[in-house]
Amino acid sequence: SQTIHQWPATLVQPVGSPLSLECTVEGTSNPNLYWYRQAAGRGLQLLFYSVGIGQISSEVPQNLSASRPQDRQFILSSKKLLLSDSGFYLCAWSRGQGRRETQYFGPGTRLLVL
Amino acid sequence: AQRVTQPEKLLSVFKGAPVELKCNYSYSGSPELFWYVQYSRQRLQLLLRHISRESIKGFTADLNKGETSFHLKKPFAQEEDSAMYYCAHEGSGTYKYIFGTGTRLKVLA
C-alpha cells in the first residue's frame, strides 16, 4: 500500500533562517506531488506541483521554492523565512499519467516563524 | 479563472438534522469534483468524488451542471460528522486541483 510521510511535524524557526521541509511517498512510482499551505479561512492554497523529477510548477510567487531530487521525494525550501511563512504545510500525491485522480495527503508540518 | 466557492465558513446543525454543505464551481466542460474531509487530528482525506456516485458515511453529492454546484448532503447528521470539509475540482488541462476555502461543520448534541 502507498504511504506519504512529512517531516518534521512541527518546526519553530527565527525570521531570516533557512527552511527545508521534506515529503516522501512509498509504494508507488511516478506520482504527481503537491505542496499546499492550509490557513484558516483561506482553505488550501496550492504552492507547487510536480509531475516528474526536476519538473516543478509554481502557483504563487513567494518566498518559497520546491525541488524534486528523486521520484518520490518533494522538498519545500526557503533561503530566508518571513513571519508570513508561518502556517500549516501539506504535501500530497496522486497517481501520475492521469488527471482527475484522488489526492492523498500527508500529516502536515506546522511551521512557526518568530 | 477557475474557482471553487464554499460560501459558509461555519455550519452548525443539531444531531439528527439534515445537513447541506454548499459548493459552486466555475469550470468550462465536464469537471471531476471531489469532497475532502479533515477530522480533528487526522489527515485530510477523500470523502467522495462525483465519478464514483457513492454514498460515503451517509453523505451524497450530486453534480448540477446547470447551477454549477456539487453540494454535499446528509439526511441525518451525527456528532462524528463534525469536521472541516473541502470541495475541489481538477484544473482544466492541468494536473493541479482547485480547492474551496472549506466549511467547518459542527454537529451539536
Side-chain angles (χ1 to χ4, degrees):
Chain A
S1 64
Q2 301 89 2
T3 56
I4 177 169
H5 305 280
Q6 284 185 248
W7 64 89
T10 305
L11 189 60
V12 181
Q13 292 283 96
V15 169
S17 64
L19 172 74
S20 181
L21 303 182
E22 191 163 342
C23 170
T24 59
V25 180
E26 297 177 355
T28 188
S29 298
N30 304 314
N32 294 336
L33 297 171
Y34 304 82
W35 278 111
Y36 292 91
R37 180 160 50 204
Q38 186 180 26
R42 296 187 62 185
L44 262 67
Q45 182 185 31
L46 178 63
L47 303 175
F48 303 93
Y49 70 97
S50 171
V51 298
I53 297 175
Q55 299 180 58
I56 308 295
S57 296
S58 175
E59 288 300 299
V60 181
Q62 59 205 312
N63 187 41
L64 302 169
S65 62
S67 61
R68 185 171 177 173
Q70 300 180 43
D71 181 45
R72 290 169 287 180
Q73 184 185 30
F74 205 24
I75 297 172
L76 184 68
S77 304
S78 174
K79 292 182 179 179
K80 288 186 178 181
L81 283 169
L82 306 172
L83 287 174
S84 57
D85 292 324
S86 294
F88 192 63
Y89 291 85
L90 285 172
C91 182
W93 74 274
S94 65
R95 297 187 199 286
Q97 307 303 318
R99 299 187 174 91
R100 305 186 167 192
E101 297 287 342
T102 297
Q103 291 204 297
Y104 300 91
F105 288 85
T109 294
R110 189 164 301 282
L111 172 66
L112 180 60
V113 182
L114 301 175
Chain B
Q2 296 173 359
R3 186 180 301 163
V4 174
T5 302
Q6 293 181 252
E8 304 133 331
K9 289 187 178 180
L10 173 64
L11 183 64
S12 296
V13 300
F14 285 101
K15 177 182 174 181
V19 62
E20 181 181 55
L21 286 78
K22 291 185 169 53
C23 172
N24 288 91
Y25 63 91
S26 61
Y27 186 106
S28 57
S30 298
E32 175 60 12
L33 285 138
F34 306 81
W35 275 101
Y36 286 85
V37 61
Q38 189 170 29
Y39 301 104
S40 179
R41 300 188 187 86
Q42 293 188 28
R43 300 186 185 196
L44 189 61
Q45 59 186 292
L46 179 71
L47 177 63
L48 56 79
R49 52 184 298 177
H50 164 245
I51 196 171
S52 301
R53 298 186 182 277
E54 296 174 300
S55 173
I56 306 295
K57 298 185 178 183
F59 284 97
T60 59
D62 292 320
L63 178 62
N64 185 323
K65 291 186 179 180
E67 296 181 359
T68 59
S69 68
F70 190 56
H71 303 328
L72 184 68
K73 300 177 183 179
K74 185 170 182 176
F76 307 104
Q78 302 299 314
E79 288 182 76
E80 55 265 31
D81 295 327
S82 295
M84 191 73 177
Y85 292 80
Y86 292 95
C87 182
H89 72 64
E90 96 281 10
S92 176
T94 72
Y95 290 97
K96 67 181 184 182
Y97 296 81
I98 313 299
F99 281 80
T101 51
T103 297
R104 181 167 296 282
L105 174 65
K106 287 190 177 181
V107 181
L108 308 171

